[in-house]
């Protein structure tokens, strides 16, 4: 006999049991880590789930979010970019120096100084990406060695330009607008991140150029045989990654009201962790931009929760490293599970 309509509408026990596996396959480990983090930090601090604190997390996570979106392109193609930290530092230093110099020479043209400084900083950071792209795409240097070498070059250049001393003298308008400004109660850097996210989303999922990154990461030989210009794709991968880091560097300079050679040192680890936690495969060809944004917000949420819980900064680094290891292990388990389903 057929069951009643009410019984048919009831979820099957097997379906409920398989729900975590389906979430794990589709979204990775991020939903599970997010739930655990919210429960743990909410129990440790009454201020964690307040609107004010969550808004603060969103504002502080903007810079990592922008860098992580660029890092995603490198991971999609089967590589990674260790030089994003040096790009953040170099762009902030060069941008601050040009901006401060122009403003000192022509104090009446504030916005000209701001525009020239931002352009100089982004171009300086972009040049690091150009070098990475040329090395990886045209000379077949491994992304690890190329970006590691450029990390040393970039930080050395930033320290040489500043002598290890922060660069001051930028127009106050720069910080007021791009560091602390807000519109409709939303901080200016958040608008910047939203605009970048929309543009990258269109590029990745609405253009053939965006699909090339997935093709190269999935199987570079097959992509080449299909007519994809793999060298151009790899080149633009690292230019885009550096460009995103350079934008983040200028926004950080506005926030700190200074250009510093020592900012951005944690960005490589944090951006890779945000991507991997969000389900971007280290083997390339797999990942979603919206998940990476959530992954960066998760990193910011964890750091904020640890600060409210008064966990020492040294231990916070340990936690971040453990999260990256857990995410990598989860990525391997997910690949094995997907392969078993296909068999």
């Amino acid at each position: 006999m057929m069951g009643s309509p009410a019984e048919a509408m009831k979820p099957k026990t097997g379906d409920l049991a398989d729900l975590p596996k389906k979430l794990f396959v589709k979204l990775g480990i991020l939903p599970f880590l997010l739930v655990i983090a919210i429960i743990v930090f909410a129990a440790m601090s009454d201020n964690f789930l307040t609107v004010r604190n969550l808004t603060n997390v969103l504002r502080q996570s903007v810079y990592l979010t922008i860098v992580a979106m660029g890092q995603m392109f490198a991971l999609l193609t089967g590589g990674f970019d260790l030089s994003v930290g040096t790009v953040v530092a170099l762009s902030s230093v060069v941008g601050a120096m040009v901006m401060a110099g122009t403003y000192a020479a022509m104090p009446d043209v504030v916005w000209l100084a701001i525009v020239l400084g931002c352009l100089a900083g982004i171009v300086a950071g972009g040049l690091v990406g150009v070098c990475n792209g040329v090395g990886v795409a045209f000379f077949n240097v491994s992304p690890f060695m190329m970006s590691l070498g450029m990390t040393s070059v970039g930080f050395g250049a930033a320290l040489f330009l500043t002598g290890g001393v922060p660069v001051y003298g930028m127009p106050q308008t720069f910080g007021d607008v791009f560091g602390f400004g807000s519109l409709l109660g939303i901080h200016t850097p958040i608008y910047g991140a939203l605009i970048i996210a929309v543009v990258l989303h269109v590029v990745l999922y609405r253009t053939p150029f965006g699909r090339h990154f997935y093709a190269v990461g999935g199987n570079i030989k097959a992509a080449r045989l299909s007519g994809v210009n793999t060298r151009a794709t790899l080149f633009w991968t690292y230019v885009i990654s550096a460009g995103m880091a350079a934008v983040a560097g200028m926004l950080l300079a506005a926030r700190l009201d200074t250009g510093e050679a020592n900012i951005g040192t944690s960005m490589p680890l944090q951006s890779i962790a945000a991507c991997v936690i969000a389900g971007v495969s280290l083997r390339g060809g797999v990942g979603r931009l919206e998940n990476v944004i959530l992954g960066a917000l998760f990193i910011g949420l964890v750091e904020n929760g640890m600060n409210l819980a008064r966990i020492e900064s040294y231990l916070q680094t340990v936690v971040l490293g453990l999260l990256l290891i857990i995410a990598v292990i989860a990525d391997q388990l997910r690949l094995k599970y997907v392969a078993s389903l296909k068999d």
Side-chain angles (χ1 to χ4, degrees):
M1 294 179 62
M2 295 180 61
S4 65
E7 291 177 345
M9 294 178 63
K10 290 182 180 179
K12 297 180 180 179
T13 306
D15 292 339
L16 291 175
D18 291 338
L19 183 59
K21 291 183 179 179
K22 292 179 180 178
L23 284 175
F24 179 61
V25 171
K26 187 175 182 179
L27 301 176
I29 199 172
L30 178 58
F32 304 96
L33 291 178
L34 188 59
V35 170
I36 293 172
I38 291 174
I39 293 174
V40 170
F41 292 125
M44 296 177 72
S45 174
D46 294 334
N47 296 323
F48 181 70
L49 290 180
T50 61
V51 175
R52 181 179 180 181
N53 184 60
L54 293 179
T55 303
N56 188 44
V57 170
L58 182 63
R59 178 176 56 80
Q60 292 178 341
S61 302
V62 163
Y63 314 104
L64 174 59
T65 300
I66 295 174
V67 176
M69 286 191 288
Q71 184 72 253
M72 175 187 170
F73 281 80
L75 291 172
L76 280 179
T77 56
F80 41 83
D81 189 355
L82 296 178
S83 65
V84 290
T86 198
V87 172
V88 170
L90 186 63
S91 62
S92 75
V93 165
V94 173
M97 291 179 70
V98 172
M99 196 180 301
T102 305
Y103 180 60
M106 296 179 288
D108 296 330
V109 284
V110 174
W111 281 102
L112 177 63
I114 292 174
V115 170
L116 290 178
C118 290
L119 287 176
I122 293 173
V123 169
L127 287 175
V128 176
V130 169
C131 293
N132 283 332
V134 169
V136 173
F138 297 99
F139 293 97
N140 296 321
V141 181
S142 74
F144 175 83
M145 291 306 302
M146 192 68 215
S147 59
L148 183 63
M150 288 308 300
T151 296
S152 180
V153 171
F155 272 127
L159 288 170
F160 174 77
L161 289 172
T162 62
V165 179
V167 180
Y168 295 101
M170 292 182 291
Q172 185 177 348
T173 305
F174 180 56
D176 290 342
V177 174
F178 296 100
F180 300 93
S182 62
L183 179 64
L184 302 176
I186 301 175
H187 292 276
T188 306
I190 297 176
Y191 284 109
L194 285 174
I195 293 171
I196 291 172
V198 170
V199 172
L200 293 183
H201 190 277
V202 172
V203 170
L204 277 173
Y205 307 120
R206 295 290 186 269
T207 66
F209 178 64
R211 290 189 286 271
H212 289 173
F213 295 99
Y214 286 92
V216 169
N219 189 323
I220 190 169
K221 292 183 179 179
R224 189 181 296 117
L225 292 174
S226 300
V228 175
N229 189 336
T230 56
R231 286 186 174 180
T233 302
L234 287 172
F235 173 79
W236 284 110
T237 292
Y238 293 94
V239 173
I240 292 172
S241 178
M244 296 300 99
V247 171
M250 291 310 303
L251 289 175
L252 269 173
R255 180 71 183 175
L256 300 173
D257 197 29
T258 179
E260 296 187 27
N262 294 319
I263 63 173
T265 54
S266 62
M267 282 296 183
L269 174 61
Q270 289 183 337
S271 61
I272 293 174
C275 290
V276 175
I277 288 172
V280 181
S281 176
L282 292 174
R283 298 185 181 186
V286 177
R288 296 289 301 180
L289 185 68
E290 56 271 23
N291 291 350
V292 169
I293 295 172
L294 290 176
L297 291 175
F298 169 75
I299 297 293
L301 197 71
V302 170
E303 289 186 335
N304 176 266
M306 290 190 291
N307 287 331
L308 290 177
R310 297 183 179 180
I311 297 175
E312 295 183 6
S313 59
Y314 304 110
L315 291 179
Q316 292 185 23
T317 305
V318 173
V319 171
L320 183 60
L322 289 174
L323 285 174
L324 178 58
I325 293 171
I326 292 171
V328 172
I329 293 173
D331 179 56
Q332 297 298 317
L333 292 175
R334 186 173 63 156
L335 288 174
K336 291 181 179 179
Y337 183 69
V338 171
S340 67
L341 290 177
K342 291 180 180 180
D343 295 338

